[in-house]
Amino acid sequence: VYETADGRLIIADGHQRLGLARLLADQDPQLQGFVFREKDGWSAGDVRALAAKKNLQEGTGDLIDAARVIRERPDIVDDRMPLGTEFMRQARALARLSDHAFGQVVGGVIDPKHGAMIADLVGDKTQHAAVVDELARLDPKSDREARLAIGEVIRAPITMDELEELLVEFGIL
């Protein structure tokens, strides 16, 4: 629980336990926890990062939320995390997307797992958003289709019209 300077309590981790306790309120349930106080130097971001780290260590949570935390606080990724799991591999890859492409994934333009594939397969971050757009247009029905589509997109030659459009967009022409 995070306690703000004005005394408000904000749950950082344990929402499900609190919900269960509310359902069992007639049985007077007791919840144990830790309180991190702003007055003691804790920031909301620090407490959020600690809660996220605990969830990542346990392999729980949402892929986008995990990637968001890794983007915001890469320092929480350490050897106590299950780095070899598919979930963590995907979360770390998704966190490497360009800002625009990550926003597209957060907005539901493509499946987060496909966003992680883009980060793994497309080294140039300036291309990430365009690959997201193309993948959304192609609408792959499986991870295999998505991987194949990404491969095709990055191998496709650029037309002169597309090149001219990019040069104008970047103020070169």
Side-chain angles (χ1 to χ4, degrees):
V1 175
Y2 178 63
E3 184 179 327
T4 63
D6 63 6
R8 285 181 300 124
L9 298 175
I10 302 166
I11 296 174
D13 186 40
H15 297 87
Q16 295 84 2
R17 287 181 293 273
L18 178 61
L20 182 59
R22 285 182 174 149
L23 287 174
L24 301 172
D26 59 329
Q27 298 175 30
D28 193 29
Q30 301 294 309
L31 295 177
Q32 295 181 357
F34 297 97
V35 178
F36 298 89
R37 293 178 176 86
E38 186 175 16
K39 289 179 180 177
D40 293 336
W42 290 94
S43 72
D46 292 337
V47 176
R48 233 185 350 264
L50 279 174
K53 183 174 185 170
K54 177 188 158 291
N55 288 336
L56 291 174
Q57 288 171 328
E58 294 171 351
T60 60
D62 173 81
L63 187 57
I64 289 176
D65 289 341
R68 185 179 283 127
V69 167
I70 293 168
R71 287 171 68 89
E72 291 172 7
R73 293 291 299 267
D75 59 301
I76 69 166
V77 178
D78 61 24
D79 60 353
R80 291 177 292 201
M81 295 210 173
L83 300 177
T85 65
E86 184 65 10
F87 178 81
M88 279 301 295
R89 190 201 63 71
Q90 289 175 342
R92 292 173 75 196
L94 192 56
R96 289 193 313 270
L97 279 177
S98 70
D99 292 343
H100 184 70
F102 187 73
Q104 290 174 292
V105 172
V106 169
V109 173
I110 62 169
D111 184 303
K113 291 188 286 184
H114 298 166
M117 286 181 201
I118 291 170
D120 282 341
L121 298 171
V122 182
D124 183 354
K125 283 187 168 194
T126 64
Q127 295 180 6
H128 288 177
V131 177
V132 169
D133 289 340
E134 188 62 14
L135 204 58
R137 186 185 71 73
L138 295 170
D139 192 25
K141 302 300 182 219
S142 69
D143 292 347
R144 184 175 189 283
E145 282 183 25
R147 185 173 299 280
L148 291 170
I150 294 166
E152 289 299 315
V153 169
I154 60 179
R155 284 190 294 279
I158 188 167
T159 67
M160 288 306 290
D161 288 341
E162 291 169 325
L163 179 58
E164 185 176 322
E165 198 175 292
L166 285 173
L167 292 174
V168 168
E169 182 179 329
F170 289 106
I172 298 169
L173 271 182

